[in-house]
Amino acid sequence: MGKLPCIACLLNGQHTTEISLHHIDGRTKPGAHFKILPLCVYHHQHSAPHEIRLRYPWLVPVHACGKVGGRAVFEQHNNTQSFLLELCHALIEKMDAGMTLTENV
């Protein structure tokens, strides 16, 4: 999973390789480490500067940062976390089969 770019950026036509892993269902539950998403800093927990958010309205953090973001707003702009997890698994299968991800995804 850590080899994937930010899955939310990728869904929006961008390729951001510096990511952190976001647990979608807690960090201590059994199997929690199998439910993770690769997210960039602005999709994970920090809000992008206002001028960047104006250009990229989908660039909101899943963890609210002040009045910006939160799970509902993140999912409104980037699809559900469950969908993104399925997309990650599909991309990993394709990568295991030899597909490479480029900046022109």
Side-chain angles (χ1 to χ4, degrees), residues 40-48 59-61 63 65:
C40 68
V41 66
Y42 296 138
H43 274 121
H44 193 190
Q45 58 194 32
H46 299 290
S47 64
L59 194 56
V60 295
H63 298 294
C65 182

Side-chain angles (χ1 to χ4, degrees), residues 43-44 60-76 81:
H43 274 121
H44 193 190
V60 295
V62 69
H63 298 294
C65 182
K67 295 182 179 183
V68 178
R71 191 184 75 197
V73 177
F74 172 87
E75 290 186 349
Q76 176 185 359
Q81 294 178 75

Side-chain angles (χ1 to χ4, degrees), residues 39-96:
L39 296 176
C40 68
V41 66
Y42 296 138
H43 274 121
H44 193 190
Q45 58 194 32
H46 299 290
S47 64
H50 180 71
E51 59 275 3
I52 294 176
R53 290 195 322 269
L54 288 175
R55 186 171 177 194
Y56 304 105
W58 45 265
L59 194 56
V60 295
V62 69
H63 298 294
C65 182
K67 295 182 179 183
V68 178
R71 191 184 75 197
V73 177
F74 172 87
E75 290 186 349
Q76 176 185 359
H77 289 285
N78 299 289
N79 216 314
T80 66
Q81 294 178 75
S82 296
F83 173 82
L84 295 174
L85 182 61
E86 289 177 24
L87 181 58
C88 286
H89 289 180
L91 287 172
I92 289 170
E93 284 182 25
K94 289 182 178 188
M95 290 173 69
D96 286 346

